Amino acid sequence: MTGDRTSGWTRRQALQSLALAGAAAAWAPRGLAQAPSRRIGVALVGLGHYSRDLLAPALQLTKHCRLAGLVTGSPGKLPEWQGRYGVPDRNVYSYDDFHRIADNPDIDAVYIATPNHLHKPLALVAANAGKHVWCEKPMAMDATEGEAMVKACRDNKVQLAVGYRMQHEPNTRRFMAMAKERPFGRIIKLRADAGWWGWRDGADDAWRLDPARGGGAMYDMGVYCVNAARYCTGLEPLAVSAFDETARRDLFKGVDETMRFRLEFPDDIVAECVTSFGRNLNTLQVDCERGWYAMSPFQGYEGNAGRASDGTVFEPQLGPRPRMQAEQMDQDALAILGNTAPRAPGEEGVADLRVLDAAFASARGDGKRVEIARG
């Protein structure tokens, strides 16, 4: 983290702006003068690690949501879930009879947290049943699938929000604002690295090594880099050059272990990114003409913190996990209750998928520069 001090933005101004942005992002859902009294009934679709360890506990912390239903392809999980959360039999579904959710007034929205290949088909069923859709990232296997999800939700007049939890985190929202404010002058380049060593050995996560189900580091962690590069610049990338640097091909068969990619943005801005299942990576840095600002970790479940070249410190704003997921779901619930756009709508997910599509094409071509499709 190196760079020059800014002459156009004082430390006091930065800290005041940070405090205001953090307070607004962290407390607005719970501090509205006329907060809605009705809670959004949420059905969790897919009862693996993310739902079990993060989403379900987070729903217990929300002010505008409640756990109302369960959808799973593993019925053996249901007794424990129903015993713990008191979900009645009438609100429990399999993937095969998921369409019956249309007749259930207890459920307003579904949160899809399944392997990636199931996102689109389950989202279409939910939208056609008249239920709002919250979907984990990446929202689909490619941009074409994502566009079909957006259309289905639009045609059925339901909301579609992508689970970009970081866009609900106060320090991240401050970085998003700085993309417009340019407190250190013109952005020159940025770096975003996201990765983790190994993965959970449970059956819930075996799909992460399966190309047919959307496995691999780029789908799982690379999306954080792509989304961060876009929200830190406020721009859409024009082209990408990507290199598959998988070392353990005996284990990673048909999926990427490590991907290095370079995004070209307007105004000659470049983003250098690495994503990996073989390295612990969690850093975001934006270099500008008069300084820099950075976060590390920038996509953790908790403790996201950073600093800037002028001495500004970005302290963690939210409490321990799963406070971030609770904030995300409360914000998305308020969008439904207030009939306003969610912070991360389906179109945001499609924009990232266009980048992923081009990155995969580039990697297949040994790093050939590939232009990114426009919407």
Side-chain angles (χ1 to χ4, degrees):
M1 299 180 185
T2 59
D4 299 326
R5 294 180 62 86
T6 178
S7 60
W9 195 50
T10 68
R11 185 171 183 270
R12 176 176 294 179
Q13 289 171 325
L15 290 172
Q16 289 174 340
S17 181
L18 171 62
L20 289 172
W27 296 108
R30 291 167 290 282
L32 294 177
Q34 296 180 335
S37 58
R38 186 173 79 85
R39 287 189 165 197
I40 293 295
V42 180
L44 293 179
V45 184
L47 304 183
H49 153 73
Y50 198 69
S51 287
R52 181 187 66 242
D53 297 341
L54 292 159
L55 295 180
L59 281 166
Q60 313 313 304
L61 302 177
T62 59
K63 294 293 183 70
H64 305 293
C65 313
R66 60 186 179 85
L67 178 55
L70 304 170
V71 185
T72 182
S74 303
K77 296 179 179 181
L78 290 171
E80 179 182 355
W81 275 80
Q82 290 184 266
R84 178 176 300 179
Y85 295 108
V87 178
D89 288 342
R90 68 177 182 275
N91 290 1
V92 172
Y93 303 89
S94 70
Y95 295 149
D96 292 333
D97 67 0
F98 183 37
H99 61 280
R100 293 194 301 106
I101 204 170
D103 301 320
N104 193 332
D106 289 346
I107 297 171
D108 302 294
V110 304
Y111 196 130
I112 300 173
T114 64
N116 300 329
H117 72 298
L118 295 176
H119 289 183
K120 176 198 169 186
L122 291 169
L124 297 189
V125 171
N128 289 332
K131 305 301 180 182
H132 301 286
V133 178
W134 301 344
C135 184
E136 257 311 297
K137 59 82 192 162
M139 66 180 287
M141 295 287 283
D142 55 42
T144 299
E145 286 193 355
E147 289 165 352
M149 293 164 64
V150 170
K151 183 178 185 302
C153 289
R154 183 187 302 122
D155 290 348
N156 286 283
K157 296 180 172 57
V158 296
Q159 290 198 8
L160 171 58
V162 183
Y164 287 124
R165 57 187 173 82
M166 299 315 306
Q167 293 201 24
H168 300 268
E169 190 275 328
N171 283 336
T172 302
R173 293 192 63 75
R174 182 73 197 104
F175 274 38
M176 294 170 74
M178 290 164 76
K180 294 181 179 180
E181 297 166 5
R182 302 291 172 96
F184 294 93
R186 184 176 66 86
I187 295 174
I188 298 172
K189 63 180 180 179
L190 64 87
R191 183 168 193 90
D193 297 337
W196 53 295
W197 175 263
W199 52 88
R200 294 167 292 275
D201 270 338
D204 284 345
D205 293 285
W207 65 269
R208 297 180 193 275
L209 299 181
D210 184 352
R213 292 188 282 176
M218 193 67 176
Y219 275 129
D220 193 49
M221 303 297 293
V223 176
Y224 288 116
C225 303
V226 172
N227 202 243
R230 291 178 53 247
Y231 63 62
C232 280
T233 60
L235 301 169
E236 296 301 330
L238 304 173
V240 60
S241 302
F243 302 87
D244 186 338
E245 298 181 351
T246 299
R248 296 174 289 175
R249 296 196 182 276
D250 58 325
L251 181 60
F252 293 88
K253 300 175 181 177
V255 300
D256 53 299
E257 175 189 18
T258 298
M259 189 85 78
R260 185 181 302 274
F261 57 101
R262 183 177 192 267
L263 298 173
E264 301 173 22
F265 285 88
D267 302 330
D268 295 324
I269 300 171
V270 173
E272 299 284 356
C273 307
V274 180
T275 186
S276 180
F277 275 166
R279 298 166 59 189
N280 289 323
L281 304 167
N282 204 336
T283 300
L284 170 65
Q285 178 158 335
V286 182
D287 291 321
C288 309
E289 58 184 347
R290 297 195 303 272
W292 54 264
Y293 45 100
M295 268 199 289
S296 184
F298 85 95
Q299 41 83 13
Y301 289 144
E302 58 191 341
N304 297 280
R307 58 194 179 97
S309 57
D310 68 343
T312 300
V313 175
F314 300 90
E315 297 287 357
Q317 297 287 304
L318 296 177
R321 68 183 73 182
R323 182 65 258 173
M324 188 185 301
Q325 285 81 2
E327 184 74 13
Q328 170 196 328
M329 289 188 284
D330 262 343
Q331 289 288 351
D332 287 340
L334 284 172
I336 293 171
L337 292 167
N339 194 28
T340 58
R343 285 181 174 174
E347 290 82 358
E348 178 79 354
V350 172
D352 280 349
L353 286 169
R354 291 192 184 109
V355 179
L356 262 64
D357 290 348
F360 286 130
S362 174
R364 290 192 297 269
D366 295 324
K368 177 184 66 175
R369 180 182 183 273
V370 175
E371 293 188 357
I372 298 167
R374 314 311 300 168

